[in-house]
Amino acid sequence: MIGPVAFTSPLLLLTLVLLPILWWLLRAVPPAPILRRFPGVALLIGLKDEDSQSDKTPWWLLLLRILAVAAAIVGFAGPVLNPQQASDQDGPLLVLMDGSWASARDWPARLDRARALIEEAGREGRPVALVQLTDLPPVGDMPFQSANVWIARLDNLTPAPFAPDMGAGLAWAEGIEAGVQTFWFSDGLAHEGRAALLDRLQQAGPVAAFEGRRSLLALGPPRFEDGVIRLAAQRLDGAGDREVTVQGFGLDPAGIERELARGVMAFAAGDTVAELELELPPELRNRMNRFEIAGERSAGAVTLTDDALQRRQVGLIAGTADQEGQELLSPLHYLRQALAPTADLLEVALADMLLANPDVIILADVARLSPEEDTELQALVDRGGMLVRFAGPRLAGSDLARETADPLMPVRLREGGRTVGGAMSWGEPKALRVFDESSPFFRLPIPEDVLVSAQVLAQPDPELAERTIAALADGTPLVTRSRLGQGQVVLFHVTANAEWSSLPLSGLFVQMLERLAISTRPLDPDAADLAGTTWVPDVVLDAYGQRRDAENLPGVAGADLANAPLSATLLPGLYSGSDRRVARNVIALDTVLTEANWPSDVPVEGLRVIETQDLSPYLLVASLVLLLIDSLAALWLSGRLTGVARGAAILMAALLAHPSDAQDLSDDDILALLATSEITLGYVLTGDEQLDETSRAGLWGLGLTLTSRTSVEPAAPIGVDLESDELVFFPLIYWPISVDQPIPSDAAYARLNAYLRGGGMIVFDTRDSDVGAFGAGTPNGRRLRELAQALDIPPLEPIPDDHVLTRAFYLLQDFPGRHLGRDVWVEAAPPDAEQVEGMPFRNLNDGVTPVIIGGNDWAAAWAMTPSGQPMFPVGRGFTGERQREIALRFGVNLVMHVLSGNYKSDQVHVPALLERLGQ
């Protein structure tokens, strides 16, 4: 090696010592001529010899020839840049990969590094074995095979969404014989049992480790506490400040997955944990199905949500029946109004309600329960449910929790109550005190008009202050809470209606109930809670954090779902039981990421591979170029280089010096070449990257459909900038409307009007027919009117049943996209177009409608990935796929109409022509 360059045939370099001899031979001057007297020479005096010969070769030409020969010698010596160092081992090679979710973030780099190792072993003739610790270790002998066999399998290897099983790996490694060299691709995390497996491998031979240098990020499951969603993220190293973006995804009312929340987590220098609080409306929170760290490709950066954040079932029971015509006095009226938007309400007898196992039971002025009801209600709360009680005349007049504590009451009560003008009189109604930090109502604003005029009082108790989560201005407890098993019991010391306070009339009442009624189930259910049940996987995660259908995966026992580690038989995902869903994520609440610690005798290398590059072709080509230049220079020195040859040489030299100058085309020239070489559809660039990508993918998918079904084979669609691009190249331009896109300039409108008058077609798509028909005053519709105000658009009408678009290629009567809507507008037919008796179609105008306006979001329905798969969902099930098919057929009709005009209208003349011909 010489620096970073090695030679496969270094002995050829010895010929370089001959270059000085070559220099001397080329410089050699011919011997001096012998002087002879010859009278005839006098006749030559005064003549000029046009073919002169230099007495020696110029130095620059000598240098050129020496460099050409030197480049050829070095090229044949086989120079290689950044060669791989040959290993001093000659035994078998074991490539061991953790293959966990933490390896997914740089999996391609791991495969490239493994490929380089295996190829080097193949050149040395060493057998190779490759094992992933997340797969079941191979049974029997070590699977040593030739390097070519494993290189062919490398691209099929994928990481797993769980941690490697070091115990199973150790049991398998007991059969490794001595003399095996191991390269261990670590995921960078410390795993139990790694040290024992490493000791066993080191007994067999040397071990080297490879680790990625990218920081590992992981996201824990969401927790709903005190009215906010709390998320915690971890990183493996605490180097420097860093911010990460967390996105929340869920289904919108149309069943389409969208980003519903976004927040930024900030890691301070030295910190490995960062937290984020998201305060979302209940309706939005109920739609959430996952959170993920933006830009991270691993299952550890994704956390699925289950019923811990979803809509709850709440049972309501009142101590007195509702009186007809007195709804506002009903104990449950305000509870229904407050909880109906965010919970499923259940109003049946308590015995039947307990059988339904609701998440929350609310008792409004219910004092006494039967022993059986009392026992079953305690069991429900102990399993993680919640009991919320409201006071009232019945509770105040009973002896419940007077002398002794009651499990279904958070505190003991005093006799009677406290009212304005009563025995324990207040001078005036009392306001509420600001909520403490320990209260679930912390930070809720307290309206000034919320006043309390009567309540039941709690007996003084050492635990009273700890159990008080809301109090009046004078410190009197207003809401108390106690724990019972995994659940809790809450008591409002006022009525659920407006008799004792104005609290139920305020928005604060809704917020307090919402904060209490959500956190009813433990986030991580224990084995006892799930014992004896079977859970079926609905959705599972792969190692990259992508959701996959569970398909035919078997069910999982409840105890395993709660406690068993993730594995090939228990993948991270969402599991459904009889009454709820539970999420198993890669990162649990108690998961702590710890960096792998390798012994000092194990070298740890990075995954970066410096690619080996053969320099021989470049040097040999350089030698040929130098020899070509030498030939031209020799012709020039001898005067044999003609003017034409000299011009060709100068042109060739210019091209060699500046190859890009010969193809210095402007952007307009390139656009013209691309758009006119094939049929090309265009779409307007709106400035919204997501909308523009949807338009591109939509026209791409429509092009695939046209290619497979018709003789039209369009090229890839091109985005059109209305301010600078020429429009005449495109037969059709798709223009999606968004609220924020700018109004074009006067010059752009001039080009647009010229395009429309010249036979072009613009398809305007407001994409809002799911919320309003065309012209219904939607934001996009109003924006379309602003954009089209300066356009020369002919009179429009809803597309008639006999328009050529209904039969240009397919027979259609509807034109859906991602949305369903019949309001599609085209150029109005001439006023003299009449229906001929016996003919199915009118004689319409013979041109192409220059404008089509609709709001069905056609591009989203046409959109396909490069592999031909639909990009966006359309409808549901078979009905949705049928809607997508009709949308594609409309797109085909659209392109066929713009390319061929109204030729299908001429078919109305066929019967008359046949009659004249006598056929």
Side-chain angles (χ1 to χ4, degrees):
M1 292 187 61
I2 301 177
V5 180
F7 295 89
T8 57
S9 302
L11 293 179
L12 286 177
L13 297 178
L14 296 176
T15 57
L16 291 175
V17 300
L18 301 177
L19 291 179
I21 300 176
L22 179 63
W23 176 280
W24 181 80
L25 289 175
L26 293 175
R27 273 189 92 248
V29 179
I34 300 175
L35 184 62
R36 298 291 186 188
R37 290 184 178 274
F38 179 63
V41 175
L43 299 175
L44 303 178
I45 296 175
L47 296 179
K48 184 178 181 181
D49 187 3
E50 294 182 356
D51 296 332
S52 60
Q53 182 72 31
S54 175
D55 61 343
K56 62 180 179 180
T57 306
W59 69 268
W60 56 267
L61 188 57
L62 285 174
L63 180 62
L64 190 66
R65 293 173 179 175
I66 293 298
L67 290 177
V69 175
I73 293 174
V74 176
F76 285 117
V80 178
L81 182 64
N82 301 319
Q84 298 296 324
Q85 295 290 341
S87 173
D88 56 357
Q89 301 290 324
D90 56 1
L93 172 67
L94 170 62
V95 178
L96 189 66
M97 309 185 78
D98 282 347
S100 71
W101 62 269
S103 303
R105 69 192 191 279
D106 50 10
W107 188 251
R110 294 172 182 270
L111 293 185
D112 290 342
R113 192 68 180 88
R115 181 177 288 104
L117 288 173
I118 297 174
E119 288 176 348
E120 182 67 22
R123 287 191 289 268
E124 297 173 357
R126 302 168 61 189
V128 180
L130 191 151
V131 176
Q132 279 187 252
L133 292 176
T134 48
D135 291 340
L136 292 177
V139 179
D141 298 335
M142 183 74 64
F144 285 112
Q145 294 177 324
S146 67
N148 292 334
V149 173
W150 285 110
I151 289 176
R153 299 179 186 176
L154 267 181
D155 291 334
N156 297 325
L157 297 180
T158 57
F162 46 84
D165 189 347
M166 296 296 173
L170 178 61
W172 161 79
E174 294 297 335
I176 299 179
E177 299 180 354
V180 176
Q181 182 185 16
T182 302
F183 287 91
W184 192 332
F185 286 83
S186 168
D187 59 9
L189 296 177
H191 298 289
E192 185 177 357
R194 183 190 293 274
L197 177 57
L198 177 61
D199 290 342
R200 178 64 190 89
L201 294 175
Q202 286 183 311
Q203 294 174 11
V207 177
F210 293 86
E211 286 188 355
R213 295 301 180 224
R214 288 183 53 192
S215 178
L216 179 64
L217 291 172
L219 184 65
R223 313 183 309 277
F224 186 81
E225 298 174 351
D226 300 336
V228 297
I229 299 175
R230 287 190 169 89
L231 292 160
Q234 300 182 58
R235 62 175 176 173
L236 200 56
D237 59 72
D241 298 333
R242 183 176 182 182
E243 289 187 350
V244 296
T245 300
V246 177
Q247 299 170 293
F249 293 90
L251 301 180
D252 66 5
I256 301 172
E257 186 175 79
R258 300 185 185 275
E259 180 183 328
L260 303 181
R262 176 184 286 258
V264 177
M265 288 182 175
F267 289 92
D271 290 346
T272 58
V273 178
E275 292 193 351
L276 172 66
E277 292 185 358
L278 294 174
E279 190 167 357
L280 302 177
E283 181 65 24
L284 204 59
R285 187 180 62 249
N286 288 337
R287 296 183 178 277
M288 205 69 66
N289 57 33
R290 79 181 190 279
F291 293 93
E292 63 182 45
I293 299 176
E296 289 294 313
R297 295 181 66 250
S298 75
V302 178
T303 181
L304 301 175
T305 64
D306 52 19
D307 288 350
L309 295 183
Q310 303 301 318
R311 194 177 183 94
R312 295 290 180 258
Q313 188 178 52
V314 180
L316 301 179
I317 295 180
T320 57
D322 294 349
Q323 300 295 322
E324 184 177 357
Q326 298 182 359
E327 287 83 359
L328 296 179
L329 299 179
S330 167
L332 301 180
H333 172 74
Y334 298 100
L335 289 171
R336 296 189 190 104
Q337 297 296 317
L339 296 175
T342 59
D344 297 326
L345 302 182
L346 184 65
E347 295 187 46
V348 294
L350 182 57
D352 298 331
M353 186 179 295
L354 292 172
L355 294 176
N357 194 30
D359 302 307
V360 184
I361 292 182
I362 300 180
L363 303 181
D365 196 19
V366 176
R368 285 295 177 185
L369 301 172
S370 68
E372 182 179 358
E373 292 174 338
D374 189 281
T375 301
E376 293 182 358
L377 189 54
Q378 287 188 46
L380 184 144
V381 176
D382 185 74
R383 293 194 301 267
M386 173 181 281
L387 173 64
V388 180
R389 306 189 73 155
F390 284 86
R394 288 173 174 267
L395 188 61
S398 70
D399 59 352
L400 179 66
R402 292 287 192 268
E403 300 299 330
T404 60
D406 189 291
L408 297 181
M409 291 289 290
V411 295
R412 292 191 301 124
L413 302 179
R414 299 176 65 175
E415 268 191 61
R418 190 175 191 183
T419 63
V420 173
M424 303 181 66
S425 176
W426 283 327
E428 58 183 9
K430 296 295 182 181
L432 273 64
R433 174 187 288 178
V434 177
F435 302 118
D436 297 334
E437 292 186 5
S438 59
S439 171
F441 312 132
F442 179 58
R443 292 180 180 172
L444 287 181
I446 300 175
E448 296 180 357
D449 58 350
V450 174
L451 300 173
V452 177
S453 58
Q455 71 167 133
V456 294
L457 294 174
Q459 290 279 11
D461 188 275
E463 298 179 345
L464 181 59
E466 179 184 347
R467 296 184 178 185
T468 300
I469 57 177
L472 300 179
D474 61 358
T476 305
L478 179 66
V479 184
T480 53
R481 179 176 66 176
S482 66
R483 299 287 179 179
L484 179 60
Q486 296 186 34
Q488 53 185 316
V489 179
V490 179
L491 172 64
F492 282 76
H493 292 241
V494 293
T495 57
N497 56 20
E499 290 185 7
W500 288 12
S501 72
S502 59
L503 177 62
L505 302 177
S506 68
L508 177 62
F509 185 68
V510 178
Q511 293 174 308
M512 295 173 72
L513 288 176
E514 185 264 320
R515 287 201 175 185
L516 286 174
I518 298 302
S519 54
T520 56
R521 281 182 174 163
L523 187 60
D524 283 337
D526 56 21
D529 186 26
L530 303 182
T533 59
T534 300
W535 298 77
V536 179
D538 289 338
V539 175
V540 295
L541 294 178
D542 63 13
Y544 301 103
Q546 299 296 316
R547 294 183 300 166
R548 300 285 184 262
D549 291 335
E551 297 179 345
N552 298 322
L553 292 178
V556 177
D560 293 339
L561 182 64
N563 292 334
L566 296 174
S567 63
T569 58
L570 179 60
L571 297 174
L574 196 61
Y575 292 79
S576 294
S578 58
D579 61 342
R580 57 173 164 164
R581 297 186 304 171
V582 173
R584 273 301 302 267
N585 292 299
V586 171
I587 305 299
L589 283 175
D590 57 351
T591 300
V592 178
L593 299 183
T594 305
E595 189 172 0
N597 186 18
W598 296 92
S600 58
D601 58 343
V602 176
V604 181
E605 304 177 21
L607 296 175
R608 183 170 178 265
V609 179
I610 302 177
E611 186 177 355
T612 299
Q613 189 171 8
D614 187 3
L615 300 180
S616 296
Y618 302 101
L619 291 171
L620 294 177
V621 169
S623 176
L624 290 176
V625 171
L626 291 174
L627 291 176
L628 178 61
I629 296 174
D630 172 75
S631 300
L632 294 174
L635 291 174
W636 176 64
L637 289 175
S638 63
R640 298 192 182 104
L641 192 63
T642 64
V644 176
R646 187 181 297 110
I650 294 173
L651 177 61
M652 184 181 66
L655 291 177
L656 290 174
H658 303 284
S660 62
D661 293 347
Q663 300 179 0
D664 187 11
L665 301 176
S666 66
D667 293 341
D668 291 340
D669 295 336
I670 294 175
L671 177 64
L673 287 173
L674 293 176
T676 56
S677 59
E678 298 180 78
I679 296 175
T680 306
L681 306 180
Y683 60 94
V684 173
L685 296 175
T686 63
D688 185 333
E689 293 184 3
Q690 183 175 0
L691 182 57
D692 293 343
E693 174 60 22
T694 301
S695 300
R696 187 206 62 78
L699 295 183
W700 167 261
L702 180 58
L704 293 179
T705 304
L706 287 164
T707 301
S708 63
R709 303 184 185 185
T710 72
S711 60
V712 178
E713 298 182 3
I718 295 178
V720 178
D721 186 348
L722 297 179
E723 300 297 334
S724 59
D725 292 340
E726 181 57 56
L727 309 180
V728 71
F729 307 124
F730 305 97
L732 180 147
I733 296 177
Y734 178 78
W735 190 340
I737 303 301
S738 65
V739 177
D740 299 327
Q741 60 183 267
I743 300 294
S745 64
D746 293 342
Y749 274 122
R751 280 195 296 271
L752 284 168
N753 285 327
Y755 174 73
L756 292 175
R757 299 186 190 105
M761 176 189 289
I762 299 179
V763 180
F764 292 97
D765 192 347
T766 57
R767 307 176 298 110
D768 56 3
S769 65
D770 57 330
V771 296
F774 171 73
T778 62
N780 287 359
R782 290 191 293 271
R783 193 59 173 175
L784 172 59
R785 285 194 287 273
E786 295 174 2
L787 292 169
Q789 188 172 5
L791 292 177
D792 185 12
I793 296 179
L796 304 177
E797 67 175 354
I799 187 169
D801 293 337
D802 61 348
H803 196 276
V804 71
L805 277 175
T806 63
R807 59 188 185 280
F809 193 85
Y810 289 104
L811 296 178
L812 299 176
Q813 290 300 324
D814 200 5
F815 317 100
R818 199 177 188 186
H819 311 310
L820 292 171
R822 188 61 173 81
D823 292 335
V824 178
W825 293 69
V826 296
E827 181 182 5
D832 57 350
E834 297 181 357
Q835 180 78 44
V836 179
E837 184 178 358
M839 293 295 103
F841 310 119
R842 292 176 295 169
N843 289 321
L844 299 176
N845 57 307
D846 195 34
V848 175
T849 174
V851 171
I852 294 179
I853 302 178
N856 293 339
D857 200 0
W858 289 303
W862 300 336
M864 294 184 186
T865 63
S867 61
Q869 298 300 315
M871 184 174 291
F872 300 101
V874 175
R876 296 187 178 181
F878 176 78
T879 303
E881 292 307 313
R882 180 61 179 172
Q883 179 178 334
R884 188 194 305 277
E885 172 61 23
I886 299 301
L888 288 170
R889 292 185 179 186
F890 168 65
V892 172
N893 278 18
L894 194 64
V895 175
M896 299 301 288
H897 173 50
V898 76
L899 294 180
S900 57
N902 283 356
Y903 82 100
K904 282 293 182 80
S905 297
D906 296 337
Q907 294 186 13
V908 300
H909 303 293
V910 171
L913 292 174
L914 293 177
E915 182 179 357
R916 288 195 177 188
L917 292 173
Q919 298 181 8

